[in-house]
Coordinates of all heavy atoms in Angstrom, one line a residue:
D5 N 129.4 171.5 69.3 CA 130.8 171.1 69.0 C 131.2 171.3 67.6 O 132.3 171.4 67.3 CB 131.0 169.6 69.5 CG 131.1 169.5 71.0 OD1 131.1 170.5 71.7 OD2 131.1 168.3 71.4
D6 N 130.2 171.3 66.6 CA 130.6 171.5 65.2 C 131.2 172.8 64.9 O 131.9 173.0 63.9 CB 129.4 171.2 64.3 CG 128.9 169.8 64.4 OD1 129.7 168.9 64.8 OD2 127.7 169.5 64.0
D7 N 130.9 173.9 65.7 CA 131.4 175.2 65.4 C 132.7 175.5 66.1 O 133.3 176.5 65.9 CB 130.4 176.2 65.9 CG 129.0 176.2 65.2 OD1 129.1 175.8 64.0 OD2 128.0 176.5 65.8
F8 N 133.2 174.5 66.8 CA 134.5 174.7 67.6 C 135.4 173.6 67.3 O 135.0 172.5 67.0 CB 134.2 174.7 69.1 CG 133.4 175.9 69.6 CD1 132.0 175.7 69.7 CD2 133.9 177.1 69.9 CE1 131.2 176.8 70.2 CE2 133.2 178.1 70.3 CZ 131.8 178.0 70.5
L9 N 136.7 173.9 67.4 CA 137.7 172.8 67.6 C 137.7 172.5 69.1 O 137.7 173.4 69.9 CB 139.1 173.3 67.2 CG 139.3 173.7 65.7 CD1 140.6 174.4 65.5 CD2 139.1 172.6 64.8
V10 N 137.7 171.2 69.4 CA 137.7 170.8 70.8 C 138.9 169.9 71.1 O 139.2 169.0 70.4 CB 136.4 170.0 71.1 CG1 136.3 169.6 72.6 CG2 135.2 170.8 70.7
Y11 N 139.6 170.3 72.2 CA 140.7 169.6 72.7 C 140.4 169.1 74.1 O 139.9 169.8 74.9 CB 142.0 170.5 72.8 CG 142.4 171.1 71.5 CD1 141.9 172.4 71.2 CD2 143.2 170.5 70.6 CE1 142.3 173.0 70.0 CE2 143.5 171.1 69.4 CZ 143.1 172.4 69.1 OH 143.5 173.0 68.0
E12 N 140.6 167.8 74.3 CA 140.4 167.3 75.7 C 141.7 167.0 76.3 O 142.6 166.3 75.7 CB 139.5 166.0 75.6 CG 139.1 165.5 77.0 CD 138.1 164.4 76.9 OE1 136.9 164.8 76.7 OE2 138.4 163.3 77.1
V13 N 141.9 167.5 77.5 CA 143.2 167.5 78.1 C 143.1 166.8 79.5 O 142.2 167.2 80.3 CB 143.8 168.9 78.3 CG1 145.1 168.8 79.0 CG2 143.9 169.6 77.0
N14 N 143.9 165.7 79.8 CA 143.9 165.2 81.1 C 145.0 165.9 81.9 O 146.1 166.0 81.4 CB 144.3 163.7 81.0 CG 143.2 162.9 80.4 OD1 142.0 163.1 80.6 ND2 143.6 161.9 79.6
T15 N 144.6 166.5 83.0 CA 145.5 167.4 83.7 C 145.8 166.9 85.1 O 144.9 166.3 85.8 CB 144.7 168.8 83.9 OG1 144.3 169.2 82.6 CG2 145.6 169.8 84.5
T16 N 147.1 167.0 85.5 CA 147.5 166.7 86.8 C 148.3 167.8 87.4 O 149.0 168.6 86.6 CB 148.4 165.4 86.9 OG1 149.5 165.6 86.1 CG2 147.6 164.2 86.4
S17 N 148.2 168.1 88.6 CA 149.0 169.2 89.2 C 149.3 168.8 90.7 O 148.8 167.9 91.3 CB 148.2 170.5 89.2 OG 147.1 170.4 90.0
S18 N 150.3 169.5 91.2 CA 150.7 169.5 92.6 C 150.5 170.9 93.2 O 151.2 171.8 92.7 CB 152.1 169.0 92.8 OG 152.3 167.7 92.3
I19 N 149.7 171.0 94.2 CA 149.5 172.3 94.8 C 149.7 172.3 96.3 O 149.7 171.2 96.8 CB 148.0 172.8 94.4 CG1 147.0 171.8 94.9 CG2 147.9 173.1 93.0 CD1 145.6 172.2 94.7
H20 N 149.8 173.5 96.9 CA 150.1 173.5 98.3 C 148.8 173.8 99.1 O 148.8 173.6 100.3 CB 151.2 174.5 98.6 CG 152.5 174.1 98.1 ND1 153.2 173.1 98.7 CD2 153.2 174.5 97.1 CE1 154.3 172.9 98.1 NE2 154.4 173.7 97.0
S21 N 147.8 174.3 98.4 CA 146.5 174.6 99.1 C 145.4 174.6 98.1 O 145.6 174.8 96.9 CB 146.6 176.0 99.8 OG 146.5 177.0 98.9
P22 N 144.2 174.4 98.6 CA 143.0 174.4 97.7 C 142.9 175.8 97.0 O 142.4 175.9 95.9 CB 141.8 174.1 98.6 CG 142.4 173.3 99.7 CD 143.8 173.9 99.9
K23 N 143.3 176.9 97.7 CA 143.3 178.2 97.1 C 144.0 178.3 95.8 O 143.6 178.9 94.8 CB 143.8 179.2 98.1 CG 143.7 180.7 97.6 CD 144.2 181.7 98.6 CE 144.1 183.1 98.1 NZ 144.3 183.4 96.7
S24 N 145.2 177.6 95.7 CA 145.9 177.6 94.4 C 145.1 177.0 93.3 O 145.1 177.5 92.2 CB 147.2 176.7 94.6 OG 148.0 177.2 95.6
F25 N 144.3 175.9 93.6 CA 143.5 175.4 92.6 C 142.4 176.3 92.1 O 142.1 176.5 91.0 CB 142.8 174.1 93.1 CG 142.0 173.4 92.1 CD1 142.5 172.7 91.0 CD2 140.6 173.5 92.2 CE1 141.7 172.1 90.1 CE2 139.8 172.9 91.2 CZ 140.3 172.2 90.2
Y26 N 141.7 177.0 93.1 CA 140.7 178.0 92.8 C 141.2 179.2 92.0 O 140.6 179.7 91.2 CB 139.9 178.3 94.0 CG 139.1 177.2 94.5 CD1 139.4 176.6 95.7 CD2 138.0 176.7 93.7 CE1 138.6 175.5 96.2 CE2 137.3 175.6 94.2 CZ 137.6 175.0 95.4 OH 136.9 173.9 95.8
D27 N 142.5 179.6 92.4 CA 143.1 180.7 91.6 C 143.4 180.3 90.2 O 143.2 181.1 89.3 CB 144.5 181.0 92.3 CG 144.3 181.8 93.6 OD1 143.2 182.2 93.9 OD2 145.3 181.9 94.3
F28 N 143.7 179.0 90.0 CA 143.9 178.5 88.6 C 142.6 178.6 87.8 O 142.5 179.0 86.7 CB 144.4 177.0 88.7 CG 144.3 176.3 87.4 CD1 145.1 176.6 86.3 CD2 143.3 175.3 87.2 CE1 145.0 175.9 85.1 CE2 143.2 174.7 86.0 CZ 144.0 174.9 84.9
L29 N 141.5 178.1 88.5 CA 140.2 178.2 87.8 C 139.8 179.6 87.5 O 139.3 179.9 86.4 CB 139.1 177.5 88.7 CG 139.2 176.0 88.9 CD1 138.0 175.6 89.8 CD2 139.1 175.3 87.6
D30 N 140.0 180.5 88.4 CA 139.7 182.0 88.1 C 140.6 182.5 86.9 O 140.1 183.2 86.1 CB 140.0 182.8 89.3 CG 139.0 182.7 90.4 OD1 137.8 182.3 90.1 OD2 139.3 183.1 91.5
A31 N 141.8 182.1 86.8 CA 142.7 182.5 85.8 C 142.3 182.0 84.4 O 142.3 182.8 83.4 CB 144.2 182.1 86.1
I32 N 141.8 180.7 84.3 CA 141.4 180.2 83.0 C 140.1 180.8 82.6 O 139.9 180.9 81.4 CB 141.4 178.7 83.0 CG1 140.3 178.1 83.9 CG2 142.7 178.1 83.2 CD1 140.1 176.6 83.7
N33 N 139.3 181.3 83.5 CA 138.1 182.0 83.1 C 138.3 183.4 82.6 O 137.4 184.0 82.0 CB 137.1 182.1 84.3 CG 136.4 180.8 84.6 OD1 136.1 180.0 83.6 ND2 136.2 180.5 85.8
K34 N 139.5 183.9 82.7 CA 139.8 185.3 82.2 C 140.4 185.3 80.9 O 140.7 186.3 80.3 CB 140.7 186.0 83.2 CG 140.0 186.3 84.5 CD 140.9 186.9 85.6 CE 140.1 187.1 86.9 NZ 141.0 187.5 88.0
G35 N 140.7 184.1 80.3 CA 141.4 184.0 79.0 C 140.4 184.1 77.9 O 139.2 184.2 78.1
D36 N 140.9 184.0 76.7 CA 140.1 184.1 75.4 C 139.5 182.8 75.0 O 138.7 182.7 74.2 CB 141.0 184.6 74.3 CG 141.4 186.1 74.5 OD1 140.7 186.8 75.2 OD2 142.4 186.5 73.9
W37 N 140.0 181.7 75.6 CA 139.5 180.4 75.3 C 138.3 180.0 76.2 O 138.1 180.5 77.3 CB 140.6 179.4 75.6 CG 141.8 179.6 74.8 CD1 142.8 180.6 74.9 CD2 142.3 178.8 73.7 NE1 143.8 180.4 74.0 CE2 143.5 179.3 73.3 CE3 141.8 177.6 73.1 CZ2 144.2 178.8 72.2 CZ3 142.6 177.1 72.1 CH2 143.7 177.7 71.6
I38 N 137.5 179.1 75.7 CA 136.4 178.6 76.4 C 136.8 177.3 77.0 O 137.2 176.4 76.2 CB 135.1 178.4 75.6 CG1 134.7 179.7 75.0 CG2 134.0 177.8 76.4 CD1 133.6 179.6 73.9
I39 N 136.9 177.1 78.3 CA 137.4 175.9 78.9 C 136.4 175.4 79.9 O 135.8 176.1 80.7 CB 138.7 176.3 79.7 CG1 139.7 176.8 78.7 CG2 139.2 175.0 80.4 CD1 141.0 177.2 79.3
G40 N 136.1 174.1 79.8 CA 135.2 173.4 80.7 C 135.9 172.4 81.5 O 136.7 171.6 80.9
V41 N 135.8 172.5 82.8 CA 136.5 171.5 83.7 C 135.4 170.4 84.0 O 134.3 170.7 84.4 CB 137.0 172.2 85.0 CG1 137.5 171.1 85.9 CG2 138.0 173.2 84.7
N42 N 135.8 169.2 83.7 CA 134.9 168.1 83.9 C 135.1 167.5 85.3 O 136.2 167.5 85.8 CB 135.2 166.9 82.9 CG 134.9 167.4 81.5 OD1 134.2 168.4 81.3 ND2 135.4 166.7 80.5
F43 N 134.0 167.1 85.9 CA 134.0 166.4 87.2 C 134.0 164.9 87.0 O 133.5 164.4 86.0 CB 132.8 166.9 88.0 CG 132.9 168.3 88.4 CD1 132.4 169.3 87.6 CD2 133.6 168.7 89.6 CE1 132.6 170.7 87.9 CE2 133.8 170.0 89.9 CZ 133.2 171.0 89.1
P44 N 134.5 164.1 87.9 CA 135.0 164.5 89.2 C 136.5 165.1 89.1 O 137.2 164.8 88.2 CB 135.0 163.3 90.0 CG 135.2 162.2 89.0 CD 134.6 162.7 87.8
I45 N 136.8 165.9 90.1 CA 138.2 166.3 90.3 C 138.7 165.5 91.5 O 138.1 165.5 92.6 CB 138.3 167.8 90.6 CG1 137.7 168.6 89.4 CG2 139.7 168.2 90.9 CD1 137.5 170.1 89.7
D46 N 139.8 164.8 91.3 CA 140.4 163.9 92.3 C 141.5 164.7 93.0 O 142.5 165.1 92.4 CB 140.9 162.7 91.6 CG 141.4 161.6 92.6 OD1 140.8 161.4 93.6 OD2 142.5 161.0 92.3
F47 N 141.4 164.8 94.3 CA 142.4 165.4 95.2 C 143.0 164.3 96.1 O 142.2 163.6 96.7 CB 141.9 166.5 96.0 CG 141.4 167.7 95.3 CD1 140.1 167.9 95.0 CD2 142.4 168.7 94.8 CE1 139.7 169.1 94.3 CE2 142.0 169.8 94.1 CZ 140.6 170.0 93.9
K48 N 144.3 164.3 96.2 CA 145.0 163.3 97.2 C 146.1 164.1 97.8 O 146.9 164.7 97.2 CB 145.5 162.1 96.5 CG 144.4 161.2 96.0 CD 145.1 159.9 95.3 CE 143.9 159.1 94.8 NZ 144.4 158.0 94.0
R49 N 146.2 164.0 99.2 CA 147.3 164.6 99.9 C 148.5 163.6 99.8 O 148.4 162.4 100.1 CB 147.0 164.9 101.3 CG 148.2 165.2 102.1 CD 148.2 166.3 103.1 NE 147.4 167.5 103.0 CZ 147.9 168.7 102.6 NH1 149.1 168.9 102.3 NH2 147.1 169.7 102.7
V50 N 149.7 164.1 99.4 CA 150.9 163.4 99.4 C 152.0 164.2 100.0 O 152.4 165.2 99.5 CB 151.3 163.0 97.9 CG1 152.6 162.2 97.9 CG2 150.2 162.2 97.2
D51 N 152.3 163.9 101.2 CA 153.3 164.6 102.0 C 152.8 166.1 102.2 O 151.8 166.3 102.7 CB 154.7 164.5 101.4 CG 155.2 163.1 101.4 OD1 154.9 162.3 102.4 OD2 155.9 162.7 100.5
D52 N 153.6 167.0 101.6 CA 153.3 168.5 101.8 C 152.4 169.0 100.7 O 152.0 170.2 100.8 CB 154.6 169.3 101.7 CG 155.6 168.9 102.8 OD1 155.4 167.9 103.5 OD2 156.5 169.7 103.0
V53 N 152.1 168.2 99.7 CA 151.3 168.8 98.6 C 150.0 168.0 98.4 O 149.8 166.9 98.9 CB 152.1 168.7 97.3 CG1 153.4 169.6 97.3 CG2 152.5 167.3 96.9
I54 N 149.1 168.7 97.6 CA 147.9 168.0 97.2 C 148.0 167.8 95.7 O 148.3 168.7 94.9 CB 146.7 169.0 97.5 CG1 146.6 169.3 99.0 CG2 145.4 168.3 97.0 CD1 145.7 170.5 99.3
K55 N 147.8 166.5 95.3 CA 147.9 166.1 93.9 C 146.4 166.2 93.4 O 145.5 165.7 94.1 CB 148.4 164.7 93.7 CG 149.8 164.6 94.3 CD 150.8 164.6 93.2 CE 152.2 164.3 93.8 NZ 153.2 164.5 92.9
S56 N 146.2 166.8 92.3 CA 144.9 166.8 91.7 C 145.0 166.3 90.3 O 146.0 166.4 89.6 CB 144.3 168.3 91.7 OG 145.0 169.1 90.7
S57 N 143.9 165.7 89.8 CA 143.7 165.2 88.5 C 142.3 165.4 88.0 O 141.4 165.2 88.8 CB 144.2 163.8 88.3 OG 143.4 162.9 89.1
F58 N 142.2 165.9 86.8 CA 140.9 166.1 86.2 C 141.0 166.2 84.7 O 142.1 166.3 84.1 CB 140.2 167.3 86.8 CG 141.0 168.6 86.7 CD1 140.8 169.5 85.6 CD2 142.0 168.9 87.6 CE1 141.6 170.6 85.5 CE2 142.7 170.1 87.5 CZ 142.5 170.9 86.4
T59 N 139.9 166.3 84.0 CA 139.9 166.4 82.5 C 139.3 167.8 82.2 O 138.3 168.2 82.8 CB 139.1 165.3 81.9 OG1 139.6 164.1 82.3 CG2 139.1 165.4 80.4
M60 N 139.8 168.5 81.2 CA 139.3 169.7 80.8 C 139.0 169.6 79.3 O 139.7 168.9 78.6 CB 140.2 170.9 80.9 CG 141.0 171.1 82.1 SD 141.8 172.7 82.2 CE 143.2 172.5 81.2
K61 N 138.0 170.3 78.8 CA 137.8 170.5 77.4 C 138.1 172.0 77.0 O 137.6 172.9 77.7 CB 136.4 170.1 77.0 CG 136.2 168.6 76.9 CD 134.9 168.3 76.3 CE 134.7 166.8 76.2 NZ 133.4 166.4 75.6
I62 N 138.8 172.2 76.0 CA 139.2 173.5 75.5 C 138.6 173.7 74.2 O 138.8 172.9 73.2 CB 140.7 173.6 75.5 CG1 141.4 173.3 76.8 CG2 141.1 175.0 74.9 CD1 142.8 173.2 76.8
Y63 N 137.8 174.7 74.0 CA 137.0 175.0 72.8 C 137.7 176.2 72.1 O 137.9 177.2 72.8 CB 135.6 175.3 73.1 CG 134.9 174.2 73.8 CD1 134.9 174.0 75.2 CD2 134.2 173.2 73.0 CE1 134.2 173.0 75.8 CE2 133.5 172.2 73.6 CZ 133.5 172.0 75.0 OH 132.9 171.0 75.6
K64 N 137.9 176.1 70.8 CA 138.5 177.2 70.1 C 137.7 177.4 68.8 O 137.3 176.4 68.1 CB 139.9 176.9 69.7 CG 140.6 177.9 68.9 CD 142.0 177.6 68.5 CE 142.6 178.8 67.8 NZ 143.5 178.4 66.8
V65 N 137.4 178.6 68.4 CA 136.7 178.9 67.2 C 137.7 178.7 66.1 O 138.8 179.4 66.1 CB 136.1 180.3 67.2 CG1 135.5 180.7 65.8 CG2 135.1 180.5 68.3
P66 N 137.5 177.9 65.1 CA 138.4 177.8 64.0 C 138.6 179.1 63.2 O 137.6 179.8 63.0 CB 137.8 176.7 63.1 CG 136.6 176.2 63.7 CD 136.3 177.1 64.9
Q67 N 139.8 179.3 62.7 CA 140.0 180.5 61.9 C 139.5 180.3 60.5 O 139.7 179.2 60.0 CB 141.5 180.8 61.9 CG 142.1 181.3 63.2 CD 143.6 181.6 63.1 OE1 144.3 181.0 62.2 NE2 144.0 182.5 63.9
K68 N 138.9 181.3 60.0 CA 138.4 181.2 58.6 C 139.5 181.4 57.7 O 140.4 182.2 57.9 CB 137.4 182.3 58.4 CG 136.2 182.3 59.4 CD 134.9 182.1 58.7 CE 133.8 182.2 59.7 NZ 133.1 181.1 59.9
K69 N 139.5 180.6 56.6 CA 140.6 180.8 55.6 C 140.4 182.0 54.8 O 139.3 182.4 54.4 CB 140.6 179.5 54.7 CG 141.0 178.3 55.4 CD 141.1 177.1 54.4 CE 141.6 175.9 55.1 NZ 141.7 174.7 54.3
Q70 N 141.5 182.7 54.5 CA 141.5 183.9 53.7 C 141.9 183.6 52.3 O 142.9 183.0 52.1 CB 142.5 185.0 54.3 CG 142.2 185.3 55.7 CD 141.3 186.5 55.9 OE1 141.2 187.3 55.0 NE2 140.6 186.5 57.0
Y71 N 141.1 183.9 51.3 CA 141.4 183.6 50.0 C 141.7 184.8 49.2 O 141.2 185.9 49.4 CB 140.2 182.8 49.3 CG 140.0 181.5 49.8 CD1 139.0 181.2 50.8 CD2 140.9 180.4 49.5 CE1 138.8 179.9 51.3 CE2 140.7 179.2 50.0 CZ 139.7 178.9 50.9 OH 139.5 177.7 51.4

């Protein structure tokens, strides 16, 4: 953790199918950031949607100062 800036994000979403959630996970794995999704992931059906909540850690390499 000393070599990275670390942001912890509590995330909630409303999705229509589990596939949407897995598409989201695939998309974040293709970015330049290092992202870890922490378990447990809580899913609850509310009417037509599935509500999810979980915590993610986002790791970023700090930029070196130019002198």
Side-chain angles (χ1 to χ4, degrees):
D5 284 351
D6 292 341
D7 296 332
F8 295 96
L9 297 174
V10 181
Y11 304 94
E12 187 168 284
V13 180
N14 294 322
T15 307
T16 59
S17 65
S18 296
I19 57 176
H20 292 286
S21 73
K23 183 179 181 325
S24 299
F25 181 76
Y26 291 112
D27 289 346
F28 166 75
L29 291 179
D30 284 340
I32 64 173
N33 281 327
K34 294 176 183 171
D36 293 334
W37 298 72
I38 300 169
I39 299 175
V41 176
N42 296 340
F43 291 91
I45 300 170
D46 184 42
F47 291 101
K48 290 183 183 172
R49 169 135 333 251
V50 178
D51 298 325
D52 298 12
V53 297
I54 302 168
K55 303 256 183 190
S56 69
S57 61
F58 56 95
T59 303
M60 319 190 279
K61 283 192 176 177
I62 303 168
Y63 299 86
K64 180 181 183 217
V65 176
Q67 292 181 332
K68 304 239 187 244
K69 291 184 179 180
Q70 303 272 333
Y71 292 101

